[in-house]
Amino acid sequence: MIEPDFLRATRAAYDLAAVPYTEFNSTVFPTLTFDHAMIAVFADVVRAAGGGPVADLGCGPGHVTAQLHDRGLPAFGVDLSPELIALARRAHPELRFEVGSMGALDLADGSLAGILARYSIIHTPPERLPEIFAEFGRVLAPGGHLLVSFQAHEDPAGPAEMFDHKVTPAYRWPPDRIAGLLREAGIAEVARLVSAPEEDPQRGFPQAHLLARRRAS
Ligand SMILES: C[S@@+](CC[C@H](N)C(=O)[O-])C[C@H]1O[C@@H](n2cnc3c(N)ncnc32)[C@H](O)[C@@H]1O
């Protein structure tokens, strides 16, 4: 199958930036209170629903996969970038990390109790996002949970907007539009946290964390 250009470009950009991106993350991630709160909520709801395998899709260097593991979930990571996966394996040798694309996962239908996609949908061109969410819907078990985090757009009816992400172009979305696309894929919103733009000193974007659940049947 011919790989779309955006996947090739995203992989090449993250391979090149793997070391500085990982270093940047290691200083910034511990300070992100809202992210940690939502990761904790996600882990709690997955465990409360009976637990099971959880995929950190677009896992980067694996720091969130490790947090999910520390919270008692059998978590593994998947990422497009072989360089980031190599760093993840080195940092967390006890965990499983695979190179792969979240739009075409090597996973059986309904095999996951949870998916976490933290700032990893942002590099997908808007017209391709429904394919990604359809894949999430395929691999999530009925009742399985999704936590998706992304830079948000303040205009609830606005389009996805490209912005100058440090590694490779990215898109920010109105949270309602992401919730709508998820609904079309059979994944219904359960809760959300959206931070005020002023909380983001770098770009002044709201950050959205949507918790959603695959419909039971
Ligand atoms: C902004 S980084 C976020 C990394 C990590 N989730 C975190 O919380 O720090 C985006 C990550 O998503 C990965 N990614 C982007 N598109 C992807 C795709 N279609 N399939 C798998 N990984 C993807 C990139 O390689 C990169 O590691």
Side-chain angles (χ1 to χ4, degrees):
M1 202 164 72
I2 299 170
E3 186 175 60
D5 286 347
F6 80 91
L7 283 183
R8 235 190 328 271
T10 304
R11 179 189 302 109
Y14 274 100
D15 273 349
L16 203 62
V19 170
Y21 179 78
T22 301
E23 284 167 358
F24 172 75
N25 237 312
S26 67
T27 54
V28 173
F29 182 62
T31 69
L32 303 177
T33 314
F34 296 137
D35 295 56
H36 290 279
M38 286 306 283
I39 292 166
V41 168
F42 170 73
D44 283 353
V45 294
V46 172
R47 272 200 318 269
V54 172
D56 178 5
L57 299 180
C59 63
H63 49 301
V64 181
T65 323
Q67 282 216 346
L68 295 173
H69 172 79
D70 291 347
R71 290 183 176 279
L73 295 171
F76 63 96
V78 176
D79 200 281
L80 211 47
S81 159
E83 294 293 336
L84 280 169
I85 288 295
L87 291 172
R89 286 177 178 151
R90 206 169 307 149
H92 309 286
E94 72 287 10
L95 301 183
R96 186 178 130 215
F97 294 99
E98 307 288 349
V99 175
S101 168
M102 60 187 172
L105 293 162
D106 189 13
L107 295 170
D109 294 2
S111 56
L112 295 180
I115 291 176
L116 182 143
R118 182 173 178 273
Y119 297 99
S120 52
I121 64 163
I122 62 172
H123 302 298
T124 299
E127 70 280 7
R128 307 294 300 251
L129 208 50
E131 290 166 37
I132 301 280
F133 290 164
E135 186 67 345
F136 289 4
R138 181 186 74 76
V139 296
L140 268 181
H145 287 87
L146 167 71
L147 177 63
V148 59
S149 303
F150 52 96
Q151 288 89 352
H153 202 294
E154 299 85 339
D155 176 359
E161 179 184 84
M162 192 185 259
F163 69 92
D164 63 337
H165 188 277
K166 277 196 173 64
V167 179
T168 189
Y171 301 85
R172 62 182 184 129
W173 285 81
D176 284 350
R177 293 205 51 216
I178 292 291
L181 290 175
L182 287 172
R183 205 165 39 244
E184 285 168 21
I187 306 169
E189 181 177 353
V190 173
R192 72 172 72 175
L193 185 157
V194 183
S195 57
E198 305 76 51
E199 297 297 313
D200 170 15
Q202 201 189 348
R203 298 193 190 89
F205 292 165
Q207 312 290 315
H209 308 268
L210 295 192
L211 180 68
R213 188 165 49 222
R214 175 88 172 84
R215 270 201 288 273
S217 59

